[in-house]
Amino acid sequence: TWEKAKKLNIGIDANFLKQRLRFSFDYFHENRYDILTELKDDKLGFPDIVGKDAPRINSGKVKNHGVEFEVTWSDKIGRDFRYFIKPNFTFARNRVDFMNEVMYEYAWRMKTGQALDANMLYVFDHFVADQAEADRLNAAKYQSWGTLIPGDAVYKDLDGDGKITDQNDRMSMGYPRSPEIQFGLPITLQYKGFDFSVLFQGATNSTIMLKDAAVYDFPNFDQDKIGRVRPMHLDRWTPETAATAKYPALHIGTHSNNKNENSSLYMYDGSYVRLKNIELGYTLPKKIIRVAGLSNIRVYAQAQNLATWDKLGDVDVDPEMRNGGGDWYPILKVFNFGVDITF
């Protein structure tokens, strides 16, 4: 059957100071249940030995809650200057209450109780200091992704058994890709025939997980093609930069220990503020255009996505991109110039 939901919404709208100040607030709480769940991978289902996949069942439960509000202030100064400002803010968080998850020995491995699409990652601890440490870790088979050398990533042994395993040494880190907090700030100014508007938009409580060409050094591609290095790789580990390095020692091609899509090394803060739109216009006086039989002429210049401030540093990706290797079209800067004529 379709999944079901129980929802609660509480809202307040208010006007003050002869409607110059307007306020809107909304609280929402939602319980979704009977979510269609596929019983495979980390779900409890039939074992492969029976030769048949387990059926989908209505069993998942997810809770969502959050708030939205916006404040509008519009007023004028003197006869000719008007202004308008409308900040807005949204917070939304979800939690998986039930998903038919297999039982893990340690609570940190569970997705139940975490946000949807939580990042279950190996926790980076340090880089291999020297050949002696590399030999010791290799002899103990501490990590199973090939032979370690100085400068390779070492992950935390969360369960203390002396080995890094998928079963017990991954934990939820960061935020989901969809931002929990989004906000905007539109501002409009008008003076006689001139008008100016600007929109700032942003988000936080969001994590980007990158892999492949977006972050890996010399990655492998089809037909034996080797990818290039990026600015972040200048901070790689070498014996001389061991104390300050932020990236592992470089390797050509596949190296699953360092180039691991489940590594916290490639978890990035997706917070950003973007100058989404800016526009300047001028409307010609009525007495001038009336001679030509026109009712309105406005000339304008506009730019979109003009500037972005984020926390990605040397990672050359857009903060609104999806998780992955960065192999999709980026957001463009757009410039428009025009004339609006009304007869």
Side-chain angles (χ1 to χ4, degrees):
T1 65
W2 295 108
E3 64 185 63
K4 304 174 181 67
K6 295 179 180 178
K7 300 184 179 183
L8 169 68
N9 281 79
I10 300 174
I12 299 173
D13 294 298
N15 297 322
F16 304 95
L17 302 174
K18 298 181 179 181
Q19 297 194 359
R20 286 181 296 172
L21 175 63
R22 296 191 294 275
F23 176 80
S24 176
F25 175 86
D26 183 66
Y27 167 79
F28 62 90
H29 190 281
E30 179 183 62
N31 281 323
R32 287 192 172 267
Y33 59 101
D34 283 353
I35 298 172
L36 203 60
T37 304
E38 195 169 5
L39 303 182
K40 66 178 186 178
D41 300 329
D42 57 352
K43 312 293 193 306
L44 291 168
F46 298 134
D48 292 340
I49 194 171
V50 303
K52 178 80 175 169
D53 291 336
R56 293 183 174 90
I57 63 172
N58 293 99
S59 65
K61 298 179 182 179
V62 174
K63 185 177 294 181
N64 303 277
H65 71 279
V67 296
E68 300 177 350
F69 73 82
E70 66 180 22
V71 180
T72 304
W73 176 265
S74 58
D75 200 0
K76 63 180 181 178
I77 300 175
R79 296 181 56 185
D80 300 318
F81 184 77
R82 294 179 177 272
Y83 63 97
F84 169 92
I85 182 170
K86 190 177 183 179
N88 57 79
F89 175 91
T90 300
F91 167 79
R93 176 170 289 173
N94 63 63
R95 184 186 72 198
V96 176
D97 284 346
F98 186 77
M99 57 180 290
N100 286 90
E101 188 175 18
V102 298
M103 295 302 296
Y104 291 98
E105 183 177 358
Y106 298 97
W108 60 73
R109 188 61 178 87
M110 301 288 289
K111 292 182 179 178
T112 304
Q114 306 291 340
L116 280 170
D117 302 320
N119 306 303
M120 304 303 295
L121 307 178
Y122 299 106
V123 184
F124 170 72
D125 188 64
H126 66 279
F127 297 123
V128 177
D130 50 34
Q131 190 60 49
E133 183 182 12
D135 292 341
R136 178 174 56 79
L137 294 173
N138 290 327
K141 297 182 179 179
Y142 182 77
Q143 291 169 189
S144 61
W145 302 294
T147 302
L148 296 173
I149 65 170
D152 281 349
V154 179
Y155 300 101
K156 289 185 179 180
D157 179 17
L158 298 181
D159 64 352
D161 68 350
K163 298 181 186 298
I164 300 299
T165 63
D166 175 81
Q167 188 78 3
N168 295 329
D169 293 314
R170 289 167 62 191
M171 65 178 295
S172 175
M173 297 184 68
Y175 293 96
R177 182 64 196 97
S178 297
E180 289 188 339
I181 295 176
Q182 300 183 71
F183 50 87
L185 180 63
I187 300 172
T188 299
L189 308 175
Q190 294 178 334
Y191 179 72
K192 293 185 177 180
F194 292 94
D195 62 89
F196 173 80
S197 63
V198 61
L199 170 61
F200 292 95
Q201 169 229 325
T204 188
N205 283 18
S206 173
T207 295
I208 305 177
M209 291 300 307
L210 298 178
K211 62 178 182 178
D212 298 334
V215 285
Y216 295 165
D217 54 288
F218 300 113
N220 278 341
F221 294 101
D222 294 338
Q223 301 176 347
D224 296 324
K225 294 180 180 177
I226 303 296
R228 63 182 184 180
V229 294
R230 293 181 171 274
M232 72 185 73
H233 302 138
L234 296 174
D235 290 330
R236 69 194 183 279
W237 186 97
T238 68
E240 293 75 24
T241 64
T244 59
K246 299 178 181 178
Y247 192 90
L250 301 186
H251 291 262
I252 293 179
T254 302
H255 190 272
S256 298
N257 185 81
N258 295 349
K259 305 171 190 180
N260 190 321
E261 63 184 282
N262 295 314
S263 168
S264 66
L265 274 171
Y266 306 112
M267 179 180 72
Y268 296 92
D269 188 342
S271 302
Y272 72 94
V273 174
R274 169 166 281 151
L275 178 52
K276 190 68 177 178
N277 191 82
I278 185 169
E279 182 171 331
L280 177 63
Y282 178 69
T283 300
L284 273 66
K286 299 289 186 182
K287 61 182 180 181
I288 295 179
I289 62 175
R290 192 180 296 121
V291 177
L294 302 174
S295 61
N296 188 76
I297 295 181
R298 178 177 178 267
V299 295
Y300 66 91
Q302 181 197 64
Q304 300 175 15
N305 306 317
L306 193 60
T308 302
W309 299 269
D310 58 44
K311 296 184 177 182
L312 294 172
D314 289 333
V315 183
D316 186 22
V317 298
D318 188 274
E320 291 190 86
M321 68 182 286
R322 303 191 303 269
N323 288 335
D327 51 346
W328 46 82
Y329 214 69
I331 290 179
L332 298 178
K333 292 181 180 179
V334 179
F335 300 91
N336 295 312
F337 305 91
V339 180
D340 291 331
I341 301 176
T342 304
F343 296 92

